[in-house]
Amino acid sequence: MKTREQIIEFINRQKVAFAASVDEDGFPNMKAMNAPRKIEDNSFYFSTNTSSMRVQQFLNNPKASIYFYSKGRFKYEGVMLVGTMEVLQDEEIKREIWQVGDTMYYKKGVTDPDYCVLKFTAAKGRYYSAFKSENFALA
């Protein structure tokens, strides 16, 4: 079994995350996103558009999942985390994860009303590698 540190190290190497929300009919909706901007304890911080469909889904139902994977020539490795997603408008966290070039998406800068932060807090996870899967707790 991988340690928590090894799992976080794996996640930090990935460029893309997949985030799942639940729509108004109870169906899962999956979306590719840029990797988290910040990881702290069991929380993962992403930037996104306040006006997005996904933000509305998380506001209506905070249940969420995020997935990271790496496909090598001979090895596939993946980590799924299950938990809840919060939509944050706090200016301090928005400034903290802001990156050069973000004005491409948020024309008014860090105070753009269409810029928000998604904070995913993991409760548990599942790790896959070499045809084996293992559940793990993050407590």
Side-chain angles (χ1 to χ4, degrees):
M1 178 65 196
K2 295 272 188 189
T3 66
R4 183 186 188 288
E5 290 74 25
Q6 289 170 316
I7 288 170
I8 296 299
E9 187 178 303
F10 169 78
I11 289 170
N12 276 326
R13 288 194 309 267
Q14 308 317 310
K15 305 266 189 269
V16 175
F18 293 89
S21 56
V22 179
D23 71 15
E24 60 279 353
D25 296 318
F27 290 98
N29 287 212
M30 185 73 61
K31 174 185 177 158
M33 299 184 72
N34 289 324
R37 300 268 176 101
K38 175 183 173 181
I39 300 173
E40 181 178 71
D41 299 323
N42 293 341
S43 296
F44 299 76
Y45 296 81
F46 301 87
S47 68
T48 196
N49 294 87
T50 309
S51 61
S52 72
M53 174 185 76
R54 198 83 46 219
V55 164
Q56 192 57 54
Q57 289 175 346
F58 290 130
L59 288 170
N60 291 336
N61 184 343
K63 290 182 180 177
S65 180
I66 57 176
Y67 189 78
F68 303 89
Y69 81 98
S70 173
K71 182 185 179 297
R73 189 165 183 184
F74 300 106
K75 182 179 180 184
Y76 179 94
E77 191 175 6
V79 172
M80 177 188 70
L81 300 173
V82 176
T84 56
M85 191 77 80
E86 295 173 72
V87 178
L88 305 178
Q89 290 286 358
D90 178 73
E91 199 165 314
E92 187 176 324
I93 189 63
K94 287 169 71 171
R95 286 188 187 286
E96 185 177 342
I97 72 163
W98 183 263
Q99 291 181 351
V100 173
D102 280 351
T103 50
M104 182 169 75
Y105 307 106
Y106 316 109
K107 302 294 182 209
K108 297 177 182 172
V110 74
T111 60
D112 193 319
D114 197 34
Y115 168 53
C116 70
V117 173
L118 295 178
K119 177 186 178 185
F120 175 82
T121 302
K124 60 183 178 177
R126 188 163 176 87
Y127 172 77
Y128 172 86
S129 181
F131 305 107
K132 294 181 189 131
S133 294
E134 295 179 70
N135 292 323
F136 59 89
L138 290 169

